[in-house]
Amino acid sequence: MDAAHAAALPVNGLTALQALEKLDLSRGGRLLITNGGGGTGALAIQLAAAKCIEVTTSPGTLSL
């Protein structure tokens, strides 16, 4: 793997984390994630679920 591809690996996780931090949802909050089956969406679902936030995704995508 070249350096450019390796450097791009954490971008989805960082984007998901920053978005959830910006929303500042508390335990028991509710969140709609469109494209939950994509790289950023899938990570956002996991991060939100770990904070006990109820997650809903758009139809046909990954959901918890």
Side-chain angles (χ1 to χ4, degrees):
M1 179 178 302
D2 62 41
H5 285 97
L9 286 175
V11 172
N12 288 335
L14 182 60
T15 301
L17 181 62
Q18 288 175 336
L20 289 172
E21 287 175 348
K22 188 76 169 173
L23 290 170
D24 195 29
L25 296 171
S26 59
R27 181 183 186 101
R30 300 177 83 188
L31 177 65
L32 169 65
I33 298 178
T34 58
N35 194 21
T40 303
L43 291 168
I45 290 169
Q46 294 175 53
L47 291 170
K51 292 178 132 188
C52 297
I53 296 169
E54 182 182 334
V55 179
T56 303
T57 63
S58 55
T61 60
L62 176 69
S63 118
L64 294 177

